Amino acid sequence: MKFPALKIPSTPAELIPPIRAWTGPLTEELVRSPGGFGLGQIPDRVTPDDTTTMVCGFCSTGCGLNVHLKDGQAINLSADATYPVNLGMACPKGWEALTPLSAPDRGTTPLVRRRRGGPLESCDWESAMVLFCEEFKALKAKHGPESVAFLSTGQITTEEMAFLGCLFKIGMGFIHCDSNTRQCMATAHVAYKQSFGFDAPPYTYADFEESDVLVFIGSNPCIAHPIMWQRVMRNPHSPEILVVDPRATETAMAATQHYAIQPKSDLTLLYGLAHLLIEMDAVRREFIEAHTTGFEEFAEFVRAFSPRHVSAAAGISEERLRHFAQTIADGKRVSFWWTMGVNQGHESTRTAQAIINLALMTGSIGRPGTGANSITGQCNAMGSRIFANITSLLGAHDANDDADRAKIAGILGIDESAIPREPSMAYDEIVRGIAEGKIKGLWVIATNSSHSWIHQSEFNALLERLDFLVVQDLYSTTETAQRADLFLPAAGWGEKEGTLINSERRIGLIKKIRRAPGQALSDFHICQLIAHYWGCAAQFARWTSPEAAFALLKEVSRNQPNDMTGIRDYHHIDAEGGIQWPLPEASLSRATHSIEHGQEHDCENRISTERRLFEDGRFFTPDGRARFLFDEPRAMPEPPDDEYPFILLTGRGTSSQWHTNTRTGKSDVLRKLYPAHCYVEIHPTDARRLGIRPNSPVQLASRRAKIRAAAFVTPTVQPGQIFVPMHYREVNTLTFPAFDPHSRQPAYKACAVSVAAL
Ligand code: SF4
């Protein structure tokens, strides 16, 4: 037995140490505590027979969806034609957003595993909270504040992730926590912070329509961000669309130019383009001199990246390289876009910065249709990057800066000394900490690490070493939840309210339009309960509701690059169709004036629905200048060899799948839109040579695992390369655990494998 059969106290006096701080029983009042979340009623911002608009909770596009209610029940939804993001469009996931909420495997009560190898059994919230606090407090007492970590998500609201990060570090007194945004957006975060002085994607979606040259690097928006791709399709300028990708993806097929480079030669290619642009004198010297530093050193560095050298490394002819550079040089409004093909690489931060360098040297930033633009992954990755209190102090502040500490402590109403100064371990370091016996307890929130983490079998074996694993999720059936000692049932999108921040920095609202099943509670409410049972509720007295938390976060943002003090409240976000940051308080009076006088559509002071950063050429670095940052390219961590001669590429499979299929797998409609079982794309030449026929079973092997997949014989992959979608559980048993040294993001995109017919 891992821990004794749970003793459920009937009165506070029976509580065993160290839960003495617990202050009373779980009451109906606490369960229905302020804010209308959890088990409460539909809040007054939604009426029972109405249509209300909220943002989608899957990807970072942040589409507006109309949810139609009848008798207080959400019965259907449609895409909002007035929302400035999607303009009446939605992808299959959005149309099916309500379906996963009714899945039969929703967690409806907390579950506890009373003995190792035993089943998860239902228990009540009081028992769950007592156990949660008892186990984690015991680990802290015995092994110290570094012995428990959490792994969180970019899928919960900004208010929830901020509460979670503050609760864990300030209230519970732990240090190490990270989020699954480490798996998708850590690179963009670090690259922007180093180059621009703040994690600041500069663009607005109108830029898709205003460019005359769009360059997509490691990005397949047709599948991964289909509504963004629809915005590209609305571009009236007959733009050149350039795609850099080893595969002939759906986006590459729709492009005007496709550069099918060798995997992980992107950094070399980008330096080669910089070399050619300098050679062609296609750089904007006045912009470089006025607004950047480090260009001369960069220009000297890229002298070595001759077309001949780059052509050999990337597998692109010198003539095509010159055509690529010439297209950029000829563009008036050139925009650069990147996604996971860049972010999930072993030298991803420098690759992202090589893209930023191209935008800076050509002056392609701060103007319509331009920018070095990272397309974010999850619906609230941007909220996590700024407000999760993980990699930086809440709101991108510095935990070792006295003024920042005093500011945050004052806003939260806490003692400044409660804020830890120690940096948190990154996700991979937390995993390593489990392996080394330093991390004994783990709390996983709204992410399915047992499926999604790189080198999955090692990760899952390490979970067995934990003394206590808590999983908080909508579903008790995820691969991670099935390994939990304690499962906490969470409310999902549509069952709570709060804000999400999309790729273009737009803060959107989600609303409670249905009741969570059984006893499931919002993550915000679970944080309130934990604070109560842990005995630190006094530190969170100001976090009475999501909207109260949003008011705190507004103050946190004051005078920061993401200042959103001009947003009045949730109703304001609703009325404006989402609001991009920054919106300092000075904007508030003007916006109020325009709305109060019914002049929303023609008042010149109305908040613009499409705003981009750096129009004045000033960046967020201390000297206001953007930085040229660069490094020598490094070899692929696990190149192919005689034993494992293929390069495995991974990525998104269809627009109907989301991550580990935890939600999209619940929809009959969506399941019909993608293959049920794992498949592998393989080039016809390789298939012929290996005796592999279409749809026949094959074995894929890496140094870490062997899996079975069905062969999809297609010329969209190059000879010597294969592609497997990331959504199938098997794929991450194969992947190689390499990490970018700056962002600690896993390099999912390329490792060595063998292929054999079965
Ligand atoms: Fe939702 Fe993204 Fe699809 Fe829009 S594109 S409907 S935000 S999943």
Side-chain angles (χ1 to χ4, degrees):
M1 184 181 294
K2 190 171 182 186
F3 41 78
L6 193 63
K7 182 185 177 192
I8 302 175
S10 57
T11 69
E14 285 187 27
L15 289 169
I16 55 169
I19 312 295
R20 293 224 180 271
W22 183 73
T23 54
L26 182 67
T27 61
E28 184 70 6
E29 185 186 17
L30 186 57
V31 168
R32 295 179 184 275
S33 58
F37 43 87
L39 300 178
Q41 305 301 310
I42 290 174
D44 61 2
R45 68 185 97 255
V46 180
T47 52
D49 288 291
D50 200 357
T51 292
T52 191
T53 302
M54 55 198 275
V55 292
C56 177
F58 279 104
C59 91
S60 69
T61 308
C63 296
L65 301 175
N66 292 323
V67 182
H68 309 291
L69 298 132
K70 187 166 177 13
D71 301 329
Q73 299 292 318
I75 54 169
N76 209 340
L77 55 77
S78 56
D80 185 353
T82 64
Y83 204 72
V85 166
N86 50 315
L87 311 172
M89 302 174 280
C91 84
K93 297 186 293 295
W95 286 105
E96 274 295 284
L98 290 171
T99 306
L101 299 175
S102 302
D105 58 343
R106 284 293 303 272
T108 55
T109 68
L111 303 172
V112 62
R113 197 184 309 279
R114 297 177 194 279
R115 59 184 169 79
R116 187 172 287 273
L120 282 167
E121 297 173 42
S122 180
C123 69
D124 59 31
W125 272 105
E126 185 169 301
S127 310
M129 289 294 94
V130 170
L131 180 65
F132 180 98
C133 295
E134 194 174 277
E135 291 290 322
F136 282 154
K137 283 199 173 197
L139 289 174
K140 188 180 174 194
K142 189 170 178 189
H143 302 288
E146 300 199 54
S147 61
V148 175
F150 80 60
L151 297 173
S152 173
T153 181
Q155 296 287 151
I156 59 178
T157 67
T158 307
E159 296 80 354
E160 290 174 330
M161 53 183 60
F163 197 170
L164 174 66
C166 291
L167 170 67
F168 191 74
K169 287 184 155 181
I170 295 169
M172 298 167 71
F174 293 115
I175 295 166
H176 300 305
C177 48
D178 204 357
S179 160
N180 64 6
T181 46
R182 182 74 62 182
Q183 292 163 275
C184 59
M185 297 317 304
T187 289
H189 170 88
V190 174
Y192 279 139
K193 205 167 162 186
Q194 292 181 350
S195 294
F196 294 164
F198 196 81
D199 180 8
Y203 63 101
T204 185
Y205 290 162
D207 291 321
F208 284 121
E209 299 169 14
E210 296 183 14
S211 298
D212 59 4
V213 177
L214 297 103
V215 184
F216 289 94
I217 302 134
S219 181
N220 185 13
C222 279
I223 291 299
H225 297 90
I227 302 307
M228 294 193 200
W229 181 250
Q230 291 305 313
R231 299 290 298 261
V232 175
M233 292 292 93
R234 288 164 50 97
N235 186 313
H237 308 295
S238 301
E240 285 284 346
I241 301 173
L242 287 64
V243 170
V244 177
D245 200 307
R247 295 170 60 219
T249 63
E250 294 79 356
T251 309
M253 289 183 214
T256 57
Q257 301 177 34
H258 174 209
Y259 295 91
I261 61 169
Q262 285 303 302
K264 295 300 110 202
S265 64
D266 42 4
L267 185 55
T268 299
L269 171 78
L270 294 162
Y271 289 154
L273 290 171
H275 172 111
L276 281 169
L277 288 165
I278 293 168
E279 187 179 276
M280 296 157 64
D281 199 22
V283 296
R284 276 190 60 194
R285 300 244 169 223
E286 67 283 7
F287 180 89
I288 293 167
E289 282 163 21
H291 302 298
T292 70
T293 58
F295 177 70
E296 294 310 323
E297 294 86 345
F298 178 62
E300 180 60 29
F301 172 77
V302 297
R303 278 165 60 92
F305 292 83
S306 66
R308 189 171 170 191
H309 168 66
V310 174
S311 171
I316 301 293
S317 72
E318 290 185 43
E319 185 186 0
R320 294 206 71 218
L321 279 176
R322 290 185 188 281
H323 184 53
F324 194 154
Q326 190 64 53
T327 307
I328 295 173
D330 291 344
K332 302 283 183 293
R333 294 177 166 191
V334 183
S335 57
F336 300 88
W337 308 86
W338 82 86
T339 321
M340 301 313 156
V342 168
N343 286 347
Q344 294 177 336
H346 68 288
E347 49 190 358
S348 54
T349 301
R350 291 295 180 250
T351 307
Q353 288 166 333
I355 297 169
I356 291 170
N357 294 346
L358 288 177
L360 292 174
M361 65 193 286
T362 56
S364 300
I365 199 153
R367 295 183 290 116
T370 66
N373 305 328
S374 151
I375 301 175
T376 303
Q378 301 181 75
C379 59
N380 202 20
M382 279 303 299
S384 174
R385 283 154 62 170
I386 296 178
F387 288 110
N389 201 36
I390 288 176
T391 54
S392 59
L393 179 57
L394 193 63
H397 290 86
D398 183 349
N400 282 300
D401 181 284
D402 289 343
D404 281 1
R405 292 173 65 85
K407 173 184 172 184
I408 299 301
I411 293 167
L412 302 187
I414 58 168
D415 192 319
E416 173 266 326
S417 64
I419 301 172
R421 291 179 181 273
E422 300 90 336
S424 176
M425 288 182 187
Y427 203 138
D428 69 300
E429 294 165 334
I430 290 171
V431 174
R432 198 51 43 215
I434 300 171
E436 292 168 357
K438 293 176 187 160
I439 302 285
K440 306 277 188 187
L442 189 65
W443 178 17
V444 180
I445 302 108
T447 187
N448 189 10
S449 316
S450 288
H451 177 143
S452 64
W453 188 245
I454 202 161
H455 192 2
Q456 181 196 104
S457 43
E458 179 196 52
F459 178 83
N460 286 331
L462 290 175
L463 290 187
E464 295 298 315
R465 296 196 199 175
L466 291 168
D467 287 358
F468 194 53
L469 172 63
V470 179
V471 176
Q472 181 172 318
D473 203 296
L474 274 70
Y475 307 99
S476 58
T477 52
T478 69
E479 289 87 348
T480 317
Q482 284 297 299
R483 293 175 161 86
D485 298 308
L486 177 65
F487 170 80
L488 304 178
W493 170 92
E495 296 167 344
K496 58 186 180 182
E497 63 181 9
T499 56
L500 310 176
I501 307 178
N502 79 354
S503 273
E504 52 163 2
R505 314 178 316 284
R506 186 181 304 276
I507 300 154
L509 195 61
I510 66 167
K511 301 173 187 171
K512 182 171 180 181
I513 43 84
R514 52 172 279 151
R515 215 181 133 122
Q519 297 175 21
L521 298 174
S522 72
D523 298 285
F524 191 92
H525 198 162
I526 294 172
C527 285
Q528 282 189 315
L529 279 182
I530 291 170
H532 174 79
Y533 278 81
W534 194 269
C536 59
Q539 290 175 294
F540 299 95
R542 296 181 183 180
W543 301 69
T544 53
S545 69
E547 195 159 15
F550 183 74
L552 294 176
L553 299 181
K554 275 175 30 180
E555 278 310 308
V556 164
S557 76
R558 188 178 292 279
N559 299 323
Q560 290 284 92
N562 66 311
D563 192 328
M564 53 186 196
T565 50
I567 302 175
R568 287 194 303 276
D569 51 23
Y570 282 175
H571 285 286
H572 190 194
I573 296 171
D574 217 11
E576 291 285 345
I579 299 174
Q580 289 173 292
W581 66 252
L583 189 70
E585 199 166 29
S587 314
L588 181 62
S589 57
R590 295 200 298 271
T592 302
H593 174 86
S594 67
I595 289 169
E596 284 178 353
H597 290 77
Q599 299 170 332
E600 298 96 317
H601 301 293
D602 51 13
C603 177
E604 62 179 358
N605 286 327
R606 184 173 186 263
I607 301 167
S608 168
T609 55
E610 304 275 4
R611 291 180 291 124
R612 61 186 60 80
L613 302 178
F614 311 131
E615 287 177 325
D616 60 358
R618 282 199 63 78
F619 294 86
F620 299 122
T621 50
D623 62 5
R625 292 168 172 269
R627 307 263 184 272
F628 281 90
L629 296 167
F630 50 90
D631 263 334
E632 283 292 341
R634 292 182 291 116
M636 223 172 101
E638 191 185 50
D641 56 19
D642 289 346
E643 193 177 359
Y644 298 99
F646 283 83
I647 297 177
L648 168 66
L649 311 173
T650 68
R652 203 172 290 279
T654 68
S655 60
S656 304
Q657 290 163 288
W658 182 247
H659 290 185
T660 65
N661 280 340
T662 302
R663 281 181 290 167
T664 46
K666 305 291 191 287
S667 160
D668 291 340
V669 173
L670 296 180
R671 279 202 311 274
K672 286 188 183 127
L673 298 175
Y674 60 83
H677 300 292
C678 186
Y679 65 92
V680 54
E681 295 183 10
I682 184 167
H683 192 272
T685 307
D686 290 327
R688 223 173 5 254
R689 179 169 53 80
L690 296 170
I692 293 169
R693 288 172 292 104
N695 286 324
S696 64
V698 297
Q699 176 181 273
L700 310 178
S702 75
R703 289 182 175 82
R704 295 154 291 284
K706 292 177 182 161
I707 70 167
R708 188 183 168 102
F712 176 18
V713 180
T714 169
T716 53
V717 286
Q718 299 183 49
Q721 300 169 25
I722 60 170
F723 172 80
V724 181
M726 61 187 257
H727 315 287
Y728 300 100
R729 188 198 56 77
E730 302 92 318
V731 66
N732 279 318
T733 62
L734 299 174
T735 47
F736 179 73
F739 304 89
D740 175 74
H742 303 280
S743 68
R744 306 300 312 161
Q745 182 154 346
Y748 283 100
K749 291 301 181 193
C751 69
V753 292
S754 65
V755 183
L758 285 175

